[in-house]
Amino acid sequence: MTTVRHAMTYFESSARRYRYVFRGSMFASFLNPILFLSAMGLGLGQLVDQQTGEAVIDTFSYVTYLAPGLMATTAMSTGASDSSWPVVAGLKWLKTYHGVLATPLTVGGLVLGHVAFVFTRVLFVSLVYGLVAVAFGALELPRALLAILPAGLTGLAFGAAVMGFSSYLDRDVGLANLFRFGITPMFLFSGAFFPITQLPEFIQPLAIATPLWHGVELTRAAGLGVSTSWHPVLHVLVLAAFTVIGLSVARRKMTMRLIS
Amino acid sequence: MPSDSLVVAKGLTKRFGDFVAVDNIDFEVRSGEAFGFLGPNGAGKSSTMRIIGATSPASDGFIEVLGLDPEFHGSEIRQRLGVVPQEDNLDPELPVDANLIIYGRYFGLSRSLIKERIEELLAFAQLSDRAKDKVDSLSGGMKRRLTIARSLINQPDLLLLDEPTTGLDPQARHLLWDRLYRLKQDGVTLIITTHYMDEAEQLCDRLVVMDGGKIVAEGSPAALIQKHSPREVVEVRFPVGVQEGVVNRLEDLGSRIEALPDRVLLYTDDGDRAAEEIHKRGLFPETILTRRSTLEDVFLKLTGRTLVD
Ligand SMILES: Nc1ncnc2c1ncn2[C@@H]1O[C@H](COP(=O)(O)OP(=O)(O)O)[C@@H](O)[C@H]1O
Ligand SMILES: [Mg+2]
């Protein structure tokens, strides 16, 4: 299994590399949940709770309802951004992937190692999110930790799928569009802030087709102890499918570009 | 295959769609030599290098690198190669030493071994005092030297250098040549591509001249010059508009004449006599320069074009 060995090597290098560049992103990992939970959860949440909120979102206060949703969206944006600019840079802007492939490493090892590192980072970011949510009183401790797993899976699915997407790109226009027309709408409409049953009926299938909705369902179920819309295994399978397809697309396209 | 050949290519061909970038070429690189590919932009040098480097499959023909077929043993071959690509691909966000550490790990080297080698390599690249600086802050020549240092981290059996000095100022080029010369002295086998004839003359024991994907000549720099060009060249420049009218009056002064847009080249074994004769005939060029023949002249003769345009 040389691919796995190469993936471990690349994973280790990514971790080592991260030590030099982490400062900004580490700060963001803590700051983001604090900002979002205070603004959306506490600020907006009080209004929601005073109004009709409780009928729509079970018996939870809004900040509690929101916390696992936000954990999943944070996982999404971490996975997506780690697999967007860095991947196009490796392929095109800095050509660092060309350097990697001049060594014994293979495209398969690079792709797998990259996504494994993204997964680790997502798990860490989710852990921070969970702890901040506990500090806010939004989640309770054992469940906050349990939610890290489905959030990690969500980030993994995005890390892989976005890598597949990025492997086709040469310019940052494509990435800007990915975030403008993909990630941001998902962030807003995939059930993190309100149940998708609030959406017009004809839009709902669109929300269901996004990987984020499945991630939110699982993360919320784990974080709050509620049940998922579909059988949990189905949600997991959807995320797994995005992961596998994203990885194989990335591997195919990156082979075409790097070994040509 | 003779045991001292590190690379053997026969009928090697690379196509991109319908376009033939490398067209049925044969060459052999022997252990310990500095072998060159000399040719203008688009000649197919990088395409050939990437096939040797096992990062680009050949479309046709036979290629063996370190006794192995790159199509099936890419990883094993790359384990023993050093590669300096045409475009630097260092990680600009990382310090100099981290670039080397990470690269060494790709080859599976232990951290302690890498640490040892980094010290030597940075000294070799004259970057010891920049070890902790970000690559971003290095000059072009320093980056190039770092890329060469990086390519040596695995103590390769064969070093591939794709246009190692293109884009550098003369001082940086000479420093690099000196470093490459040392590697050669240490017995490292080098393959160098270049479109600078002086680089090829200085560094290469043997070279092939490439144009349009084909090899048009091969041999040592001296032998190539001797075979394809008289000893000396007289470069004659006329005032604007004059050259066309007088070129035919120079034709008998050398064994060959090339009228370039801005000057006339006269090939002859006795440059001084030709220069004298020009004056005697009452032609008044702006400048006359007599020099020895170079690989540039060989290329011009073989292809009708100049190397750098
Ligand atoms: N990946 C590619 N796809 C299509 N054409 C290519 C590709 N790489 C190189 N070429 C073409 O092949 C020819 C030879 O290129 P190259 O090997 O880079 O030449 P050199 O290194 O001598 O300048 C050029 O005309 C170039 O445009
Ligand atoms: Mg080239």
Side-chain angles (χ1 to χ4, degrees), chain A residues 6 9-10 12-13 16-17 20-21 94-96 98-106 258-260, chain B residues 14 50 55-57 75 78-79 87 89-95 98 101-103 105-107 111:
Chain A
H6 290 156
T9 303
Y10 191 72
E12 185 217 293
S13 296
R16 181 180 290 278
R17 181 177 191 286
Y20 293 95
V21 296
L94 305 175
K95 296 202 173 356
T96 43
H98 291 81
V100 174
L101 290 182
T103 74
L105 265 59
T106 51
L258 295 166
I259 311 289
S260 61
Chain B
K14 180 71 191 184
R50 295 189 54 237
T55 54
S56 166
S75 271
R78 295 195 298 272
Q79 178 75 39
E87 282 177 80
N89 53 37
L90 299 160
D91 195 326
E93 285 183 81
L94 297 191
I101 296 172
I102 285 181
Y103 219 65
R105 294 295 293 159
Y106 291 151
F107 287 92
R111 288 172 199 81

Side-chain angles (χ1 to χ4, degrees), chain B residues 137-159:
Chain B
S137 69
L138 302 184
S139 70
M142 289 174 178
K143 282 185 189 152
R144 218 55 190 141
R145 297 204 302 274
L146 177 57
T147 302
I148 293 176
R150 190 183 73 169
S151 74
L152 295 169
I153 193 90
N154 59 328
Q155 297 190 331
D157 296 330
L158 174 61
L159 184 59

Side-chain angles (χ1 to χ4, degrees), chain A residues 40-70:
Chain A
M40 300 264 134
L42 300 182
L44 181 68
Q46 273 193 346
L47 291 179
V48 175
D49 291 341
Q50 282 164 13
Q51 308 282 321
T52 59
E54 304 209 357
V56 182
I57 49 181
D58 302 329
T59 56
F60 299 106
S61 69
Y62 187 67
V63 69
T64 297
Y65 175 84
L66 183 66
L70 279 181

Side-chain angles (χ1 to χ4, degrees), chain B residues 46 86 162-163:
Chain B
S46 295
Q86 185 168 345
D162 197 354
E163 305 209 9

Side-chain angles (χ1 to χ4, degrees), chain B residues 7-269:
Chain B
V7 183
V8 180
K10 291 198 182 80
L12 188 65
T13 299
K14 180 71 191 184
R15 282 183 288 268
F16 295 105
D18 288 338
F19 180 78
V20 184
V22 178
D23 193 357
N24 193 19
I25 64 172
D26 299 348
F27 62 90
E28 210 167 298
V29 181
R30 299 180 200 127
S31 179
E33 76 176 338
F35 185 88
F37 288 93
L38 175 68
N41 277 332
K45 304 182 297 295
S46 295
S47 303
T48 307
M49 287 293 248
R50 295 189 54 237
I51 297 173
I52 300 171
T55 54
S56 166
S59 310
D60 236 319
F62 174 85
I63 172 87
E64 208 168 62
V65 181
L66 305 169
L68 298 167
D69 180 347
E71 194 174 342
F72 302 106
H73 301 279
S75 271
E76 287 153 87
I77 291 172
R78 295 195 298 272
Q79 178 75 39
R80 296 167 55 198
L81 289 187
V83 178
V84 176
Q86 185 168 345
E87 282 177 80
D88 284 328
N89 53 37
L90 299 160
D91 195 326
E93 285 183 81
L94 297 191
V96 165
D97 60 351
N99 263 278
L100 296 176
I101 296 172
I102 285 181
Y103 219 65
R105 294 295 293 159
Y106 291 151
F107 287 92
L109 306 177
S110 75
R111 288 172 199 81
S112 54
L113 184 61
I114 295 171
K115 290 257 157 67
E116 253 170 57
R117 287 190 186 165
I118 282 182
E119 215 163 297
E120 283 167 39
L121 289 173
L122 288 181
F124 170 80
Q126 301 189 321
L127 290 169
S128 300
D129 53 336
R130 306 299 298 264
K132 298 292 172 197
D133 294 349
K134 264 195 185 186
V135 166
D136 246 346
S137 69
L138 302 184
S139 70
M142 289 174 178
K143 282 185 189 152
R144 218 55 190 141
R145 297 204 302 274
L146 177 57
T147 302
I148 293 176
R150 190 183 73 169
S151 74
L152 295 169
I153 193 90
N154 59 328
Q155 297 190 331
D157 296 330
L158 174 61
L159 184 59
L160 309 180
L161 300 137
D162 197 354
E163 305 209 9
T165 69
T166 297
L168 301 184
D169 59 56
Q171 209 179 342
R173 290 180 74 202
H174 282 282
L175 180 53
L176 255 171
W177 285 348
D178 172 66
R179 299 294 114 174
L180 295 179
Y181 201 74
R182 280 181 204 209
L183 287 176
K184 205 173 122 177
Q185 299 279 292
D186 291 344
V188 180
T189 308
L190 307 176
I191 303 182
I192 302 163
T193 78
T194 183
H195 60 244
Y196 296 123
M197 53 93 190
D198 50 349
E199 186 158 285
E201 284 186 40
Q202 293 233 6
L203 294 174
C204 299
D205 301 313
R206 261 178 353 111
L207 58 89
V208 294
V209 180
M210 273 189 99
D211 187 42
K214 293 192 171 70
I215 290 178
V216 292
E218 65 175 295
S220 71
L224 277 169
I225 293 167
Q226 202 186 2
K227 179 167 174 208
H228 294 284
S229 188
R231 231 163 37 97
E232 296 191 321
V233 187
V234 185
E235 297 204 4
V236 194
R237 278 176 211 268
F238 289 98
V240 179
V242 175
Q243 181 174 313
E244 292 72 26
V246 297
V247 140
N248 56 344
R249 294 175 61 194
L250 299 175
E251 262 162 9
D252 60 319
L253 293 180
S255 57
R256 201 160 63 80
I257 183 165
E258 289 281 353
L260 301 181
D262 60 335
R263 61 195 194 277
V264 181
L265 305 183
L266 272 174
Y267 292 87
T268 166
D269 280 324

